[in-house]
């Protein structure tokens, strides 16, 4: 029947038994004590601290205790290894006194346990340590700081805002800094060049206090679970999906003719959503009434097309689509050093998604000026895209002021809707040579039965070796590093994407979710509205 559209479902297999993902647990074993804190790797063994026993333990990779040395103080937290010596942070300055937060940093001979140097911590509550080859790093959860400091005298070299509210563990992998958070139960990969969180993944337990890097994997010491975990990194799929949500979406498009003249012609287009990484369309999409035909625009977007003529005063024409789908929360694991170059972008992607359109004006001097300021001499595509993302957020704030203005107008004005943020971001990315397009969606408002008439639009950029990555410049507009990261290469399970496009469309124009074309007799008042209703999937 014409009112049923069969969608070819793309089969995705995401299983821990098939694909690995960054942060997946490879193995675990019991910690040597019940009050574990810091963790580090010396090239052969793990070292972990326990503040109840006041001991530091060397372990093999199966958890067997190889050696035990006395803690320099009474409240050991962080550990690091500089290639020869251990470094230990003591959050209470070596004195077993409640609320005595006056951190000390100890340099230790791992063979004898002798203390070779004592530094005042650059921050009162050093929770963990990491060694980057020249300097030490510490994290202070109270001050929400990541601090790089000199091992010679404790001088602060650099400070960054910590990714989130209660960061504890710290590790350096030679390129990126890894940080754990005990409240969000997450682990973050931080790019120090960008000073941004790049990857967000789940922590293995409820209170990860120490992190270590062994050259291939991250190790995590969890205080609540009393376990040490080995976690996979760069080992499998580029993204992971979880938290499936079964939904039913009813989308309505209604045209009312209030007269006094007739509507001569009416063309309505309802986009046909397809399965993708973030969603699976389950079964057939039902359309009511029957559509006239299925058409495809210049971006490959298919729509169910309705054509009506001579709609009289007082008459209403309504279309409805009913979609059953599974929505997923998806996290992409992008390592900037693994992203290909501009030369690696496929020619067809360049031809399609680097072109100019009236909303973008990528050659406009205003756009070129802002691109040059944002990107500078950056050669890495991912970092260039992140710099544009942050640049826009530093210069704009969200406000629905009416209309969808052009990118130069919006960036100069300094505010805009989600669509206008998207136009600016696409324009700047294309001007910088980064392929970009947009998607439009209906938003699930978290209640199983809810309504949406606001909708949402964001951007996807193309990264060689990784493919299309979601970027939501308006949703990620925040001073919080974790929040920004969750809108760049991450999408939660609240959105059913209906529309994918790169600019003006012969069927959808610049809209998404639905569109219409109308001709009328003179002095004819026509009102068109559209909205979506979610209903429980069991109905």
């Amino acid at each position: 029947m014409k009112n049923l559209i069969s969608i070819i479902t793309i089969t995705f297999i995401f299983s821990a038994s098939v694909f690995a993902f960054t942060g997946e647990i490879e193995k675990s074993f019991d910690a040597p004590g019940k009050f574990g804190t810091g963790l580090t790797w010396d090239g052969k063994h793990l070292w972990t601290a326990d503040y109840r026993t006041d001991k530091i333990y060397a372990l093999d990779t199966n958890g067997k205790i190889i050696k035990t040395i006395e803690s320099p103080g009474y409240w050991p937290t962080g550990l690091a290894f500089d290639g020869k010596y251990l470094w230990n942070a003591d959050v209470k300055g070596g004195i077993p006194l409640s609320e005595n937060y006056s951190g000390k940093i100890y340099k230790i001979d791992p063979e004898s346990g002798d203390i070779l140097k004592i530094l005042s911590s650059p921050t009162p509550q050093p929770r963990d340590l990491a060694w980057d080859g020249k300097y030490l790093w510490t994290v202070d959860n109270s001050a929400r700081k990541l601090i790089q400091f000199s091992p010679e005298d404790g001088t602060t070299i650099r400070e960054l805002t910590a990714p989130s509210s209660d960061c504890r563990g710290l590790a350096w992998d030679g390129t990126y800094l890894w940080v754990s958070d005990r409240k969000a139960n997450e682990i973050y990969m931080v790019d120090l060049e960008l000073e941004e969180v790049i990857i967000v993944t789940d922590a293995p337990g409820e209170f990860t206090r120490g992190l270590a890097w062994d050259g291939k994997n991250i190790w995590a010491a969890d205080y609540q679970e009393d376990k040490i975990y080995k976690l996979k990194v760069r080992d499998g799929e580029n993204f992971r999906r979880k938290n499936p949500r079964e939904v039913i979406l009813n989308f309505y498009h209604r045209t009312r003719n209030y007269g006094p003249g007739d509507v001569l012609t009416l063309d309505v287009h309802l986009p046909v959503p397809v399965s993708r990484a973030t969603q699976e369309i389950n079964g057939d999409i039902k359309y009511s009434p029957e559509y006239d035909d299925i058409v495809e625009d210049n971006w490959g977007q298919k729509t169910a097309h309705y054509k009506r003529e001579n709609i009289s005063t007082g008459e209403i024409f309504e279309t409805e689509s009913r979609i059953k789908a599974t929505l997923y929360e998806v996290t992409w694991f992008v390592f900037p050093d693994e992203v290909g170059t501009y030369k690696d972008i496929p020619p067809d992607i360049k031809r399609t998604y680097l072109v100019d359109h009236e909303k973008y004006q990528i050659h406009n001097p205003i756009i070129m000026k802002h691109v040059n300021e944002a990107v500078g001499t950056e050669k890495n595509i991912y970092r260039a895209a992140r710099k544009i993302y942050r640049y826009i957020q530093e210069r704009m704030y969200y406000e629905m002021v009416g209309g969808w203005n052009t990118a130069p107008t919006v960036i100069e004005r300094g505010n805009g809707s989600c669509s206008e943020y998207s136009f600016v971001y696409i324009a700047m990315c294309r001007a910088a040579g980064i392929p970009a397009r947009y998607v439009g969606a209906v938003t699930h408002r978290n209640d199983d039965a809810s309504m949406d008439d606001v909708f949402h639009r964001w951007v996807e950029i193309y990264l060689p070796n990784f493919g299309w990555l979601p970027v939501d410049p308006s949703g990620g507009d925040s001073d919080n590093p974790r929040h920004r990261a969750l809108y760049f290469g991450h999408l939660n399970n609240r959105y059913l994407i209906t529309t994918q496009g790169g600019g003006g469309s012969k069927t959808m124009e610049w809209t998404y979710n639905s569109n219409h074309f109308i001709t009328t007799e003179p002095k004819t008042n026509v009102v068109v509205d559209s909205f979506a209703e979610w209903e429980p999937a069991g109905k």
Side-chain angles (χ1 to χ4, degrees):
M1 294 177 62
K2 290 177 67 178
N3 66 339
L4 297 178
I5 291 184
S6 296
I7 301 299
I8 299 174
T9 302
I10 303 171
T11 302
F12 298 91
I13 303 174
F14 297 93
S15 169
S17 63
V18 179
F19 295 122
F21 58 88
T22 292
E24 183 184 357
I25 298 171
E26 183 172 310
K27 66 184 293 186
S28 67
F29 50 77
D30 291 337
K34 299 295 184 182
F35 300 86
T37 55
L39 194 66
T40 193
W41 172 260
D42 70 1
K44 186 177 181 182
H45 299 122
L46 291 162
W47 291 80
T48 188
D50 189 287
Y51 71 77
R52 177 69 181 273
T53 63
D54 298 331
K55 305 288 187 184
I56 300 175
Y57 304 91
L59 313 173
D60 69 12
T61 55
N62 292 311
K64 179 181 177 181
I65 298 175
I66 305 300
K67 186 175 185 176
T68 304
I69 63 176
E70 293 290 328
S71 167
Y74 296 93
W75 209 273
T77 52
L79 289 174
F81 184 74
D82 67 6
K84 186 175 181 180
Y85 300 108
L86 281 174
W87 292 83
N88 171 227
D90 191 291
V91 76
K92 295 193 176 181
I95 301 173
L97 181 65
S98 296
E99 299 183 11
N100 181 60
Y101 295 114
S102 180
K104 298 289 184 184
I105 309 295
Y106 299 94
K107 182 179 181 179
I108 307 168
D109 185 329
E111 295 298 323
S112 65
D114 292 342
I115 300 171
L116 306 178
K117 182 182 286 189
I118 303 175
L119 301 174
S120 293
S121 171
T123 190
Q125 299 185 48
R127 293 299 184 179
D128 202 3
L129 294 173
W131 172 256
D132 68 8
K134 183 177 181 180
Y135 296 112
L136 288 162
W137 285 83
T138 191
V139 57
D140 186 321
N141 65 310
S142 179
R144 289 196 62 183
K145 291 181 178 179
L146 301 175
I147 301 173
Q148 183 188 50
F149 65 98
S150 168
E152 298 301 319
D153 57 10
T155 299
T156 295
I157 306 300
R158 185 180 181 187
E159 285 189 2
L160 282 72
T161 301
S164 55
S165 62
D166 200 351
C167 291
R168 299 294 181 114
L170 205 60
W172 171 253
D173 72 1
T175 305
Y176 307 105
L177 197 63
W178 296 79
V179 188
S180 68
D181 184 278
R182 55 93 47 120
K183 288 183 179 177
N185 299 325
E186 294 170 335
I187 296 176
Y188 312 111
M189 188 184 84
V190 179
D191 186 312
L192 296 180
E193 181 179 330
L194 289 172
E195 298 186 358
E196 294 282 3
V197 174
I198 303 300
I199 287 176
V200 180
T201 191
D202 294 335
E206 297 296 315
F207 195 162
T208 298
R209 298 188 71 157
L211 295 178
W213 172 255
D214 69 3
K216 182 180 178 182
N217 298 92
I218 288 284
W219 293 79
D222 193 85
Y223 173 75
Q224 182 164 315
E225 307 297 329
D226 297 323
K227 288 187 177 293
I228 294 175
Y229 298 90
K230 183 180 182 181
L231 309 178
K232 297 177 181 178
V233 178
R234 303 188 192 228
D235 188 18
E237 284 296 288
N238 289 337
F239 59 90
R240 174 197 182 195
R241 63 179 184 176
K242 61 180 183 178
N243 299 332
R245 170 182 276 170
E246 302 293 327
V247 299
I248 297 175
L249 176 69
N250 298 298
F251 189 90
Y252 303 91
H253 184 281
R254 182 180 297 155
T255 305
R256 304 171 187 258
N257 181 11
Y258 288 95
D262 287 350
V263 171
L264 300 177
T265 63
L266 170 66
D267 290 88
V268 176
H269 292 272
L270 299 185
V272 179
V274 298
S275 294
R276 49 198 296 141
T278 57
Q279 65 191 36
E280 288 177 353
I281 305 303
N282 301 325
D284 297 327
I285 300 174
K286 298 181 180 180
Y287 288 83
S288 178
E290 293 185 359
Y291 54 82
D292 290 279
D293 56 359
I294 295 293
V295 296
E296 184 173 322
D297 73 0
N298 43 314
W299 304 103
Q301 174 66 58
K302 293 182 178 180
T303 56
H305 173 226
Y306 296 85
K307 187 174 182 64
R308 296 293 185 272
E309 296 179 350
N310 301 319
I311 299 174
S312 302
T313 299
E315 189 175 349
I316 298 173
F317 178 69
E318 182 176 81
T319 62
E320 176 186 351
S321 63
R322 182 176 174 86
I323 306 162
K324 294 183 179 181
T326 306
L327 309 182
Y328 296 90
E329 178 184 359
V330 181
T331 299
W332 276 257
F333 302 116
V334 178
F335 296 85
D337 57 290
E338 293 182 353
V339 174
T341 68
Y342 290 91
K343 293 181 180 179
D344 298 322
I345 300 171
D348 60 325
I349 298 291
K350 289 182 179 180
R351 284 193 301 270
T352 306
Y353 296 106
L354 288 179
V355 298
D356 199 6
H357 285 273
E358 62 187 26
K359 297 284 189 185
Y360 306 142
Q361 300 183 29
I362 65 176
H363 304 296
N364 186 295
I366 292 174
I367 294 298
M368 297 305 300
K369 179 195 76 170
H370 288 296
V371 169
N372 289 334
E373 290 177 359
V375 176
T377 60
E378 180 61 64
K379 302 300 182 184
N380 181 278
I381 296 178
Y382 178 91
R383 291 194 175 100
R386 280 301 292 259
K387 287 182 176 181
I388 294 171
Y389 175 73
R390 189 72 183 122
Y391 181 91
I392 291 171
Q393 293 165 348
E394 289 172 347
R395 285 155 180 79
M396 287 182 60
Y397 63 91
Y398 183 87
E399 185 177 14
M400 295 180 66
V401 294
W404 289 337
N405 285 302
T406 65
T409 299
V410 174
I411 188 67
E412 288 292 286
R413 188 179 68 206
N415 61 354
S417 64
C418 65
S419 289
E420 290 175 314
Y421 269 80
S422 296
F423 297 156
V424 173
Y425 189 71
I426 290 172
M428 292 182 65
C429 281
R430 290 190 182 183
I434 304 168
R437 66 190 186 192
Y438 59 76
V439 292
V442 179
T443 305
H444 193 287
R445 300 300 176 182
N446 293 322
D447 295 302
D448 286 341
S450 60
M451 188 270 284
D452 182 32
D453 63 348
V454 178
F455 313 133
H456 191 46
R457 178 181 350 219
W458 62 92
V459 180
E460 292 181 336
I461 60 171
Y462 185 85
L463 301 178
N465 299 335
F466 287 89
W468 291 100
L469 191 77
V471 179
D472 187 347
S474 64
D477 195 349
S478 170
D479 291 331
N480 183 291
R482 172 187 179 270
H483 184 95
R484 292 196 296 271
L486 289 178
Y487 288 85
F488 199 106
H490 175 270
L491 197 68
N492 65 31
N493 60 357
R494 297 178 58 222
Y495 303 105
L496 198 159
I497 297 171
T498 67
T499 311
Q500 176 181 297
S505 160
K506 65 181 181 181
T507 57
M508 294 300 296
E509 298 180 291
W510 289 87
T511 66
Y512 57 99
N513 293 337
S514 67
N515 193 38
H516 57 271
F517 299 88
I518 299 174
T519 64
T520 71
E521 292 181 339
K523 299 181 176 63
T524 302
N525 182 18
V526 181
V527 175
V528 178
D529 67 335
S530 60
F531 63 95
E533 290 279 356
W534 301 91
E535 67 177 63
K539 292 182 69 173

